[in-house]
Amino acid sequence: MTESNQNGQEREIRTTAVDFSFGELLNLHRDKEIIIRPEYQRLFRWTNEQRSRLIESIVMGLPIPPIFLIENDKGVLELIDGLQRTSSVLQFLDHEAINQPELVLEGCDFIKELNGKTIDQIDTVTRLKIKRSPIRATIINKSGDAFVKYELFKRLNTGGSLLSAQEIRNCSSRMVDGGADFYEVLQKLSQFSPFASATSRLPESMVELRANEELVLRFFALMNSRDTFKGNIEEWLDGYMEAVLFGEKNFDPIAMDEVFKTTFTAIFEKLGDQAFTRFNTHGEATGRLAPAYYEAVCAAFIERGPDLKDVQPSILLERLKSAFDSEDFKNATGPGANTIPKLHQRIKVVREYLCDEIPA
């Protein structure tokens, strides 16, 4: 397989296909010859029933989808795709090896006698069958090329994956030297109290998928890379993060931390949790956080924060309601909102209303 980097240079990715038994994977994990990094994917998004049915499928002899590993500079293998499958079986075989509770099987539909049992309670023949069952592993051979590892993880986990776009960014950023430091800035700022309070209308289910961290990334993309927006939000955010990770765009964590905190302190002080949501006909905030509203308000505060400092919160809130209710803003947030002209239009409308600069 041949991969091209961002400068158009071709790099060949060499792979090796190996069949491991689950017993071998467990031993390799115990010996620290295979690294299973929980930060790549949340370790157990699967329910107990899903894990149990995987064990049942193995006992039935059904084929298990392959896993992908990458060889690091020390020759140690890092699991980059297939964590749910691998960790579920390892949990059943030896839960202490991966610091998880003992797995008690449940929800097995075809071999119902497995239900309620742990590894120590099943017969020896079945136990050995699970340990000896093979799973195909594709090993990406050693490469010190950060871009190859980054792009490979992103591609493996795009499409049918259960990971959200931001979870993929969290994981793939760690493939690059310094990437973990950058992502930890996003994580830290997502917990900043004024930001968390101002974005509290973000549903908890979305927070679990790191949508709050995506909003932090969107803030910096809006501030530092607005001109690269082409109409696709995911590609825009991916492109901005990649430009930072690979040194194409400067990101000063100290300066960015200060701007972010100053901006969200002001937003929350002035508008509370009503900054990024719609209002009903009675002027009451309603519904969840709307990303298009978030972009417009953040940009207005980034650009004109000092001018809004002395405006009373009640006055600023009324101006915001008027902005959101204006035809110009509605036209910029309706169908086809993710276009460059409409992005600039909604930012302009909110900025003019908040600063009381509405054209006559």
Side-chain angles (χ1 to χ4, degrees):
M1 174 165 52
T2 300
E3 181 65 62
S4 297
N5 70 0
Q6 292 168 318
N7 298 318
Q9 299 170 321
E10 288 191 348
R11 293 130 167 194
E12 188 176 0
I13 297 176
R14 300 184 183 279
T15 63
T16 303
V18 178
D19 286 332
F20 287 117
S21 71
F22 285 108
E24 286 175 320
L25 286 176
L26 178 60
N27 289 333
L28 289 168
H29 175 66
R30 286 171 176 160
D31 294 339
K32 296 182 171 53
E33 294 178 23
I34 282 183
I35 298 173
I36 300 175
R37 296 185 183 275
E39 67 265 27
Y40 284 174
Q41 301 174 30
R42 281 203 303 278
L43 188 55
F44 285 119
R45 178 175 293 174
W46 281 9
T47 64
N48 275 358
E49 286 193 358
Q50 287 174 303
R51 297 175 235 169
S52 299
R53 285 171 183 154
L54 176 65
I55 302 300
E56 182 186 37
S57 295
I58 293 170
V59 174
M60 294 170 64
L62 296 176
I64 307 301
I67 60 176
F68 285 81
L69 304 110
I70 193 162
E71 185 182 18
N72 69 20
D73 293 335
K74 296 179 181 179
V76 175
L77 300 176
E78 298 182 28
L79 182 67
I80 60 171
D81 187 68
L83 182 66
Q84 300 288 343
R85 298 186 294 281
T86 305
S87 53
S88 293
V89 179
L90 297 193
Q91 183 194 13
F92 186 63
L93 294 177
D94 184 357
H95 64 98
E96 292 180 350
I98 57 171
N99 300 314
Q100 289 294 318
E102 188 170 41
L103 178 57
V104 180
L105 300 179
E106 61 177 288
C108 297
D109 298 323
F110 293 94
I111 310 177
K112 295 185 178 180
E113 56 267 30
L114 290 174
N115 291 321
K117 292 184 178 178
T118 65
I119 186 66
D120 294 326
Q121 294 170 327
I122 62 175
D123 61 86
T124 303
V125 172
T126 302
R127 183 163 59 249
L128 290 176
K129 182 172 185 179
I130 296 170
K131 285 186 176 180
R132 294 171 179 172
S133 291
I135 184 168
R136 173 58 57 98
T138 297
I139 299 173
I140 295 90
N141 299 135
K142 183 164 56 178
S143 169
D145 195 315
F147 181 79
V148 170
K149 291 192 287 186
Y150 170 87
E151 189 66 20
L152 187 63
F153 182 90
K154 190 174 75 171
R155 292 189 184 189
L156 284 173
N157 286 280
T158 301
S161 172
L162 292 176
L163 296 184
S164 70
Q166 192 63 25
E167 286 178 308
I168 293 173
R169 295 185 191 109
N170 168 43
C171 301
S172 57
S173 65
R174 299 173 191 276
M175 299 286 177
V176 182
D177 288 342
D181 294 334
F182 171 75
Y183 200 89
E184 282 163 14
V185 170
L186 305 185
Q187 290 180 314
K188 180 181 176 183
L189 291 177
S190 73
Q191 302 303 311
F192 180 54
S193 181
F195 169 81
S197 298
T199 59
S200 61
R201 291 177 180 272
L202 192 67
E204 185 60 32
S205 60
M206 294 182 69
V207 173
E208 290 177 1
L209 298 176
R210 301 184 183 272
N212 54 340
E213 295 167 11
E214 181 171 284
L215 288 177
V216 179
L217 180 63
R218 190 181 290 222
F219 176 91
F220 291 125
L222 192 67
M223 180 179 174
N224 301 320
S225 196
R226 198 182 307 174
D227 59 332
T228 65
F229 179 70
K230 304 298 181 185
N232 184 300
I233 297 295
E234 284 192 15
E235 290 180 3
W236 176 45
L237 298 181
D238 284 344
Y240 172 65
M241 189 180 81
E242 290 163 14
V244 171
L245 294 180
F246 293 102
E248 297 174 4
K249 278 190 177 292
N250 181 55
F251 185 87
D252 182 337
I254 296 175
M256 293 300 96
D257 180 275
E258 182 178 353
V259 171
F260 183 89
K261 289 180 176 177
T262 298
T263 302
F264 272 95
T265 296
I267 289 174
F268 184 62
E269 285 180 352
K270 298 294 186 181
L271 302 169
D273 69 346
Q274 303 179 80
F276 315 123
T277 190
R278 297 171 177 82
F279 295 87
N280 62 23
T281 54
H282 301 293
E284 301 165 334
T286 180
R288 62 177 62 184
L289 180 147
Y293 291 44
Y294 174 87
E295 293 164 353
V297 174
C298 285
F301 271 83
I302 289 170
E303 296 168 9
R304 302 295 295 274
D307 298 327
L308 302 174
K309 182 177 179 181
D310 296 326
V311 182
Q312 291 294 319
S314 58
I315 294 174
L316 208 59
L317 183 59
E318 289 306 313
R319 291 179 182 175
L320 184 68
K321 292 178 182 179
S322 297
F324 289 170
D325 194 46
S326 69
E327 288 302 315
D328 286 342
F329 186 81
K330 290 177 181 177
N331 289 337
T333 54
N338 287 335
T339 63
I340 298 172
K342 290 195 174 183
L343 170 65
H344 288 299
Q345 181 182 342
R346 57 181 175 265
I347 290 172
K348 178 176 180 289
V349 170
V350 170
R351 182 179 63 241
E352 289 176 345
Y353 271 84
L354 290 183
C355 295
D356 197 24
E357 297 174 349
I358 308 163

